[in-house]
């Protein structure tokens, strides 16, 4: 296929969480410590879950299905000035793909219970990838760009309707 | 839109790397320490890069464009038995989306120089997200599931043609 061709992705399941609206939702897993949700994997994909329960943490790729417009510059929740969307985790990105790392609590057949969930209820799930410390731990002195907030500030921050 | 509807994603650029074929390519950024590549962002998306250079590390989401089939069970490079695809980082996943964390060396206009690249030359880039230690550092005692390899083993492992 041509490298510029659009990529078509079929959801593999639905993410269920306590967050029914965007108001007051945590903006990152750090702000959702202990909040549980479930992943309901569609039957055609259940076989792909084999052994996923051996991992304690997983990445979720999902569709920001409530974002109705794209923006190349945004004012992030954690900031007061405009940034390029690729310097933020804003939902208004061209791909509309979200990435969150969550704790995997248990698997029962096609249902995974997850913890530290910062995702809207009903969000389409596109992929699950195991978090592998040997692959995924980046440099411990990585710089946080414009984000000077400490973990407590991130944890306390809540969503609003700016990114719908 | 319906939660099961396919999601259509337009590439935002192209990833250029020294790896012209899948043979002998590192399988993870850990095995590609110091290997440099570039991200060429297409003109309509360049504005979204503002301030990305403030971050030292970024996540890349990209399309495994050479994977020609999907498989729900695979034998990963690091293993000898079949695992569910969602318990692996195999390209044969239903989404065909890859995730790599890389070091951001510099930005010159629409071109980002990156380091620790484990990606095939010519790969379509779907998204860039800043790596934010406050958001993204997961539990330090996360379990690695079936992957018992230490960092040196991962670094030494090379790709072959099993996932085309």
């Amino acid at each position: 296929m041509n490298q510029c061709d659009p990529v078509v992705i079929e959801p593999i399941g639905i993410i269920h969480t306590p967050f029914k609206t965007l108001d007051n939702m945590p903006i990152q897993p750090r702000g959702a410590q202990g909040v549980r949700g479930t992943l309901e994997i569609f039957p055609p994909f259940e076989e792909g879950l084999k052994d996923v329960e051996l991992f304690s943490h997983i990445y979720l790729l999902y569709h920001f299905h409530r974002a109705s417009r794209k923006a190349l510059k945004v004012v992030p929740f954690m900031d007061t000035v405009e940034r390029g969307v690729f310097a933020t985790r804003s939902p208004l990105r061209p791909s509309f793909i979200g990435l969150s790392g969550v704790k995997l609590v248990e698997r029962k057949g096609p249902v995974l219970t997850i913890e530290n969930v910062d995702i809207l209820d009903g969000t389409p799930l596109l992929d699950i990838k195991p978090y592998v410390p040997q692959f995924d731990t980046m440099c411990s002195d990585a710089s946080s760009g414009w984000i000077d907030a400490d973990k407590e500030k991130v944890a306390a921050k809540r969503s609003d309707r700016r990114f719908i």
Side-chain angles (χ1 to χ4, degrees), chain A residues 150-162:
Chain A
D150 58 24
K151 289 176 184 176
E152 286 62 39
K153 281 189 197 161
V154 174
K157 201 78 183 179
R158 289 296 179 273
S159 167
D160 56 35
R161 304 178 71 78
R162 77 179 77 178

Side-chain angles (χ1 to χ4, degrees), chain A residues 60-162:
Chain A
L60 307 180
L61 296 181
Y62 49 91
H63 182 219
F64 285 122
H65 66 306
R66 289 291 305 283
S68 55
R69 60 193 171 89
K70 300 181 182 184
L72 289 176
K73 290 191 180 166
V74 296
V75 178
F77 291 125
M78 298 299 299
D79 205 356
T80 55
V81 302
E82 225 177 32
R83 309 288 180 182
V85 73
F86 302 123
T88 78
R89 303 288 276 261
S90 160
L92 302 185
R93 47 206 328 110
S95 72
F96 289 140
I97 296 184
L99 169 69
S100 291
V102 298
K103 187 173 173 184
L104 177 55
V105 178
E106 67 168 4
R107 175 187 169 197
K108 285 187 178 168
V111 177
L112 305 184
T113 299
I114 55 174
E115 203 170 274
N116 311 340
V117 185
D118 62 334
I119 303 168
L120 196 66
D121 186 50
T123 292
L125 178 66
L126 303 182
D127 203 351
I128 297 171
K129 293 174 186 288
Y131 173 75
V132 182
Q134 296 96 318
F135 299 170
D136 295 313
T137 306
M138 297 227 234
C139 170
S140 60
D141 60 349
S143 68
S144 307
W146 54 265
I147 303 176
D148 63 356
D150 58 24
K151 289 176 184 176
E152 286 62 39
K153 281 189 197 161
V154 174
K157 201 78 183 179
R158 289 296 179 273
S159 167
D160 56 35
R161 304 178 71 78
R162 77 179 77 178

